[in-house]
Amino acid sequence: MEYLESLLKQYSPALLPIYWTEKPNEPIQLYKGLLEIIQEETAYKGEGTVFLEWLPSPRIKFYFSTQGEFTYQINLDKARLNILEIEIIVEVYIMSLPIIFHEKLEISGYLNEPTLLGLGQDLTNVVFHLSNFHDFIGTQVYRKDIRKNSICSDRLLLEVESWSIYIDKLENFTEITESLQSQGGYAITHVGKIERSDQKTFSSKEAEEVLEVLHWFLSFCRGFRISPILLVGQNNNGEKVWEKWHSNQLISPWKKVDSWFIDLNKLNIQNINELFAGFLTLWKTDTWNDAIRLAIHWYLESNAQAGAVQGSIILLQAAFEHKNILYSTVSAQCRDSTYS
């Protein structure tokens, strides 16, 4: 037992998700407690939940119910939702006709805007979640379980500039992806964490700038839209001090697509880190930033077979030609500056 414990200390523990799905398309509860619906001069308090619903497309929704006498009418329109226990007011849209049954009022709708909890300052790390991402063989981590401890190659580590980005497969990855292949839709397959390599604190704005680059890079790897979702910022004590709920995420449902990343088992995982470093370097230049976005966008649309097979060929060719034109332009500029 002592030998096993000393062996495990050589490996980092696997990341634990803050939110997860046991099966595809299962809603994720973000909040449960007191709510207040406010529309013009009307305000009702009651109990309810805020949750991420996957289908038909990912949205942050709410359900509200209360009992009493109801004098004023709630309409299918914009309103404000006061999440009382965390003191957040957010704009929502009421999408179901209010039901009054036995003096009980029930309302549901969705959040119109990203919801931020906390100031997002002095963060030590930000935990994020990924849906529908690839399998891979990465660096080794250990999982601590009541029944057994195991060491597995479940981590993709990206170290670039002053940032360290960890992406771990979830323990139920195999089961959940098998279900996705048969059912389709969405499920959380990976959990990630971003932190400064020098252990300094940072703001949520700084983290989101890096996570935006990660969105484009991982989408390029996967072959369809992948985005870090359900962001949770923690302080030095591991306490949750910031969180972001975001509707209309740039994420795609599960589909079978070909991708250069799909055969990662035969690649050196270190090559991915080097590729991401080069990707970030180009991303930060005005010359290449728009080109990267356009090329990846057309590549993803091609994979989605927008416009059938013929349309996909045209879109992919457009991406290649855009890259080649830009490369030729940059090369010419470099030659001119050399000889001038």
Side-chain angles (χ1 to χ4, degrees), residues 213-214 216-217 220 274-284 292 296:
V213 186
L214 192 64
W216 287 96
F217 181 74
F220 176 51
E274 294 173 0
L275 178 61
F276 182 64
F279 186 93
L280 181 59
T281 298
L282 292 177
W283 177 272
K284 295 171 71 173
I292 290 173
I296 293 178

Side-chain angles (χ1 to χ4, degrees), residues 191-210:
V191 59
K193 182 177 73 171
I194 177 174
E195 63 184 14
R196 289 282 299 252
S197 304
D198 55 13
Q199 304 303 309
K200 291 182 179 179
T201 60
F202 54 91
S203 68
S204 58
K205 181 180 179 181
E206 292 175 284
E208 288 191 85
E209 288 174 354
V210 179

Side-chain angles (χ1 to χ4, degrees), residues 95-269:
M95 58 181 292
S96 66
L97 285 171
I99 300 173
I100 301 177
F101 182 72
H102 291 306
E103 298 186 342
K104 183 177 181 180
L105 175 67
E106 298 182 347
I107 302 172
S108 65
Y110 60 86
L111 278 60
N112 273 344
E113 57 188 355
T115 303
L116 301 176
L117 290 67
L119 299 177
Q121 299 295 325
D122 298 323
L123 303 178
T124 301
N125 65 73
V126 170
V127 175
F128 60 89
H129 304 77
L130 297 176
S131 62
N132 301 354
F133 192 52
H134 268 312
D135 193 5
F136 54 77
I137 295 177
T139 57
Q140 292 184 319
V141 294
Y142 79 84
R143 300 188 183 280
K144 195 168 186 179
D145 190 88
I146 297 176
R147 295 160 295 178
K148 62 178 181 179
N149 294 322
S150 61
I151 299 172
C152 42
S153 301
D154 284 355
R155 171 166 294 172
L156 177 60
L157 174 59
L158 302 174
E159 295 180 295
V160 58
E161 295 184 349
S162 58
W163 295 97
S164 295
I165 303 171
Y166 308 87
I167 299 175
D168 288 8
K169 288 186 291 187
L170 295 189
E171 192 170 8
N172 67 339
F173 176 85
T174 301
E175 294 80 3
I176 201 75
T177 52
E178 287 176 354
S179 297
L180 281 167
Q181 289 169 10
S182 61
Q183 299 179 33
Y186 305 84
I188 292 178
T189 56
H190 297 73
V191 59
K193 182 177 73 171
I194 177 174
E195 63 184 14
R196 289 282 299 252
S197 304
D198 55 13
Q199 304 303 309
K200 291 182 179 179
T201 60
F202 54 91
S203 68
S204 58
K205 181 180 179 181
E206 292 175 284
E208 288 191 85
E209 288 174 354
V210 179
L211 292 175
E212 183 190 7
V213 186
L214 192 64
H215 153 66
W216 287 96
F217 181 74
L218 294 182
S219 297
F220 176 51
C221 293
R222 185 63 178 91
F224 56 73
R225 294 281 182 182
I226 295 290
S227 187
I229 62 173
L230 300 176
L231 312 181
V232 178
Q234 299 177 326
N235 63 14
N236 197 40
N237 297 322
E239 300 168 332
K240 183 194 300 184
V241 293
W242 176 80
E243 191 163 358
K244 184 175 183 178
W245 305 337
H246 194 184
S247 286
N248 300 320
Q249 300 284 350
L250 293 173
I251 54 179
S252 299
W254 181 276
K255 59 175 71 74
K256 182 175 175 58
V257 298
D258 292 327
S259 165
W260 60 270
F261 192 92
I262 202 167
D263 207 17
L264 185 60
N265 291 349
K266 298 179 182 178
L267 297 176
N268 183 340
I269 201 72

Side-chain angles (χ1 to χ4, degrees), residues 25 34 178:
N25 309 313
L34 293 174
E178 287 176 354

